[in-house]
Amino acid sequence: MIPKPSVMLSSEAIAARVRELGAKITQDYKGRHLVLVSILKGSFLFAADLARAIDLEDVRIDFLGLRSYGSGTESSGVVQITHDLTFPVENKDVLIVEDIVDTGLSMQYLLDNLATRKPSSVKICSLLHKPARTRVAISIDYLGFTIEDKFVVGYGLDYAEKFRNLPYIGVIES
Ligand code: IMP
Ligand code: MG
C-alpha cells in the first residue's frame, strides 16, 4: 500500500491561483477566438476549473491526449498522440492547458505539432513547472506554481494511473 500523499499545494491554494490565472487570461484574450486545448489526461481537472474562471464570449474547448514514453517517472520525449483535436485550430488563438512542464520534452513536441496546424497564436498555461529538470527551455505564458524537484500527484496528476482524483497536489513520501 502506498501511503496517502502529503499536501504540497492545498485545494484552496490551487483554487485561488486558478482564479488569478483565469482573470489574467480573460483580460489578455478580450475580443479574440480562444481555443483551450486541454492535454489529457493530466490536465482534466485544471482545465475544468480554469475554463470556469475565464469570462469570455468565444471560448472553445478541445482535448489532446498525449502519452510520453519513459522509464517509471522519467520522460523520454518520445510522445504519442492518443486522442487528437476534434476541430481545426487554423487562425485560432490556442492556449495549451497542461498539468506540468518537467523536462519540457512533451511540450516541445506539442508546440512543433500544433505549429503545423497554422493557429494564429499558441500560448501555454501550465499549473506546475519543475525547473530543476529542464532539458528544453519552455517559455510558460501562464504559470500556476513553480515546484521543487519532487514527483507530485493529485488534481489530475498520477502515479501509475492512481491519485488523479485527489483534490490537492501531494507528494508520495518514500
Ligand atoms: P516532460 O515531458 O518531462 O516535461 O513531462 C511530461 C509529462 O510527464 C507531464 O505532462 C506529466 O504528465 C508527467 N509528469 C512530469 N512530472 C510529473 C510529476 O511530478 N507527477 C506526475 N506526472 C508528471
Ligand atoms: Mg501531462
Side-chain angles (χ1 to χ4, degrees):
M1 266 290 280
I2 305 171
K4 199 173 164 74
S6 60
V7 178
M8 180 190 267
L9 296 167
S10 68
S11 58
E12 292 78 10
I14 296 168
R17 191 73 186 115
V18 169
R19 275 196 298 276
E20 289 174 358
L21 292 172
K24 184 76 176 64
I25 292 164
T26 302
Q27 239 175 41
D28 293 355
Y29 283 89
K30 276 252 148 67
R32 303 197 14 216
H33 310 290
L34 177 61
V35 179
L36 296 178
V37 172
S38 161
I39 308 305
L40 298 175
K41 300 176 197 169
S43 82
F44 83 108
L45 289 178
F46 177 43
D49 288 341
L50 183 69
R52 286 176 286 184
I54 295 173
D55 183 16
L56 289 170
E57 266 168 41
D58 189 358
V59 182
R60 286 161 228 216
I61 299 169
D62 210 347
F63 300 91
L64 204 150
L66 281 193
R67 179 183 297 141
S68 84
Y69 290 98
S71 54
T73 57
E74 197 72 31
S75 169
S76 67
V78 181
V79 179
Q80 182 195 0
I81 292 183
T82 58
H83 172 89
D84 206 355
L85 298 179
T86 60
F87 56 82
V89 292
E90 192 168 349
N91 300 326
K92 297 281 187 296
D93 292 307
V94 169
L95 182 59
I96 300 173
V97 181
E98 181 55 303
D99 53 358
I100 183 167
V101 176
D102 184 17
T103 62
L105 291 167
S106 304
M107 189 54 80
Q108 189 55 57
Y109 172 89
L110 201 59
L111 290 171
D112 292 345
N113 182 288
L114 285 175
T116 66
R117 307 177 195 218
K118 313 252 184 307
S120 32
S121 69
V122 180
K123 285 191 179 187
I124 300 170
C125 178
S126 182
L127 179 67
L128 306 173
H129 183 213
K130 234 192 255 181
R133 291 166 39 94
T134 300
R135 288 179 57 192
V136 187
I138 299 288
S139 151
I140 303 172
D141 304 280
Y142 304 95
L143 174 63
F145 303 92
T146 299
I147 61 167
E148 53 184 310
D149 188 7
K150 292 204 165 141
F151 193 81
V152 291
V153 295
Y155 196 64
L157 291 100
D158 73 307
Y159 174 70
E161 291 302 326
K162 288 196 282 266
F163 302 116
R164 290 196 198 274
N165 62 317
L166 284 182
Y168 59 90
I169 298 283
V171 183
I172 302 168
E173 305 293 349
S174 51

